[in-house]
């Protein structure tokens, strides 16, 4: 594993965070690898793209526990060089 993967996994293991800390994590993920779009009927969509499953679980858990947002997780197989999910 790389250093960045180790750090991401370590951060994802932190428990008992406050709502402000959860908001900061979501904000950081949004800045790093997220998009917001406005769809039909003013439906707001928030999309995060990550190759790290621990991060996906962490963000899913934060949305559910702190913001009462029900989410959908989509896993796609990469078609390019690395063939990652």
């Amino acid at each position: 594993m790389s250093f960045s993967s180790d750090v991401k996994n370590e951060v994802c293991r932190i428990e008992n965070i406050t709502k402000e800390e959860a908001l900061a994590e979501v904000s950081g993920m949004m800045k790093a690898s997220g998009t917001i779009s406005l769809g039909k009927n003013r439906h707001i969509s928030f999309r995060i793209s990550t190759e790290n499953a621990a991060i996906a679980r962490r963000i899913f858990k934060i949305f559910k526990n702190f913001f009462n947002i029900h989410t959908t997780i989509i896993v796609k197989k990469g078609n390019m060089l690395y063939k990652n999910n």
Side-chain angles (χ1 to χ4, degrees), residues 42-79:
R42 296 186 178 241
H43 178 78
I44 297 174
S45 174
F46 178 78
R47 179 176 292 187
I48 294 176
S49 178
T50 181
E51 293 179 1
N52 192 323
I55 291 175
R57 285 190 301 269
R58 175 82 169 185
I59 296 298
F60 181 79
K61 188 169 142 182
I62 286 173
F63 280 150
K64 182 179 174 187
N65 293 341
F66 289 100
F67 304 107
N68 199 23
I69 297 173
H70 302 286
T71 60
T72 302
I73 296 177
I74 299 172
V75 178
K76 292 185 179 181
K77 187 78 169 170
N79 292 331

Side-chain angles (χ1 to χ4, degrees), residues 7-19:
V7 171
K8 289 175 187 176
N9 287 327
E10 186 176 335
V11 168
C12 288
R13 286 192 298 263
I14 296 172
E15 296 181 11
N16 300 328
I17 61 172
T18 64
K19 187 170 183 175

Side-chain angles (χ1 to χ4, degrees), residues 15-49:
E15 296 181 11
N16 300 328
I17 61 172
T18 64
K19 187 170 183 175
E20 291 78 17
E21 292 168 335
L23 184 60
E25 283 189 40
V26 170
S27 176
M29 281 300 300
M30 184 59 199
K31 179 77 170 172
S33 62
T35 58
I36 292 178
S37 59
L38 185 61
K40 297 178 183 177
N41 299 329
R42 296 186 178 241
H43 178 78
I44 297 174
S45 174
F46 178 78
R47 179 176 292 187
I48 294 176
S49 178

